[in-house]
Amino acid sequence: YPAYINSNRTLKRGRRIPKEVAVENPTYQEIADVIKSLELEHLVQPTKHYSREGDRDLWQLGRVKVNLMDDSGTPFNEAVQSKVELMRYIAEMIPKLNPGRTRLVSSSWLETRAKTRRRRGRSKVLRRDFMEICNLF
């Protein structure tokens, strides 16, 4: 799940690598691109939600399942032999694969706006606003 390497997450909310190594708001597509470059067997599941995501926002969808080892326990790629090594490698490579990876709107602004909108009962308006923002990228 992208939350595993998201620097905006706490350990309690699902981050599994140190914040200094993690990437800000990675997507499952970026993770899949890095795994594809390693030539590992993987399965992209774009509609899955991470269980610790209470809000289930659209930009947090997706997961990538990876097969690191064959049946005998031998790694498919010698550079990555464990899940933690894979997560660190992905976090290191995402900025290199997408050098222009910047956001026009900060995620904290989106979260604040989402909370305000939900209180007013306008979740459909929020989704439409979010989709408009995503189209800017």
Side-chain angles (χ1 to χ4, degrees):
Y1 292 99
Y4 292 173
I5 61 171
N6 190 344
S7 63
N8 293 333
R9 298 271 172 219
T10 61
L11 291 174
K12 189 175 183 178
R13 288 198 61 211
R15 181 173 39 84
R16 294 194 177 182
I17 60 175
K19 195 171 195 168
E20 299 78 36
V21 179
V23 181
E24 185 176 351
N25 298 323
T27 64
Y28 72 91
Q29 294 100 336
E30 292 169 331
I31 294 171
D33 289 342
V34 173
I35 292 170
K36 199 178 295 182
S37 71
L38 285 172
E39 299 178 358
L40 292 173
E41 289 181 27
H42 65 284
L43 173 65
V44 177
Q45 297 176 323
T47 58
K48 293 291 185 178
H49 286 282
Y50 183 49
S51 60
R52 292 187 187 175
E53 296 292 345
D55 48 3
R56 310 250 174 184
D57 290 321
L58 293 175
W59 62 85
Q60 297 169 344
L61 281 175
R63 79 172 172 189
V64 181
K65 293 183 84 174
V66 182
N67 190 5
L68 291 176
M69 305 205 181
D70 61 10
D71 295 335
S72 65
T74 308
F76 285 120
N77 190 323
E78 292 298 322
V80 179
Q81 297 186 5
S82 70
K83 290 179 188 179
V84 175
E85 284 181 18
L86 178 64
M87 288 186 278
R88 285 176 172 264
Y89 181 81
I90 291 169
E92 179 185 325
M93 293 306 294
I94 285 176
K96 292 178 182 176
L97 288 178
N98 302 319
R101 181 179 196 279
T102 58
R103 303 243 183 240
L104 297 176
V105 180
S106 71
S107 60
S108 61
W109 178 84
L110 285 174
E111 289 173 10
T112 305
R113 185 162 168 86
K115 289 176 186 172
T116 316
R117 292 292 183 126
R118 282 198 196 105
R119 280 188 226 129
R120 295 184 203 152
R122 298 182 188 167
S123 60
K124 289 182 182 177
V125 174
L126 174 63
R127 283 194 190 103
R128 187 175 61 236
D129 289 350
F130 174 72
M131 294 308 289
E132 289 172 7
I133 291 170
C134 287
N135 289 333
L136 294 175
F137 299 112

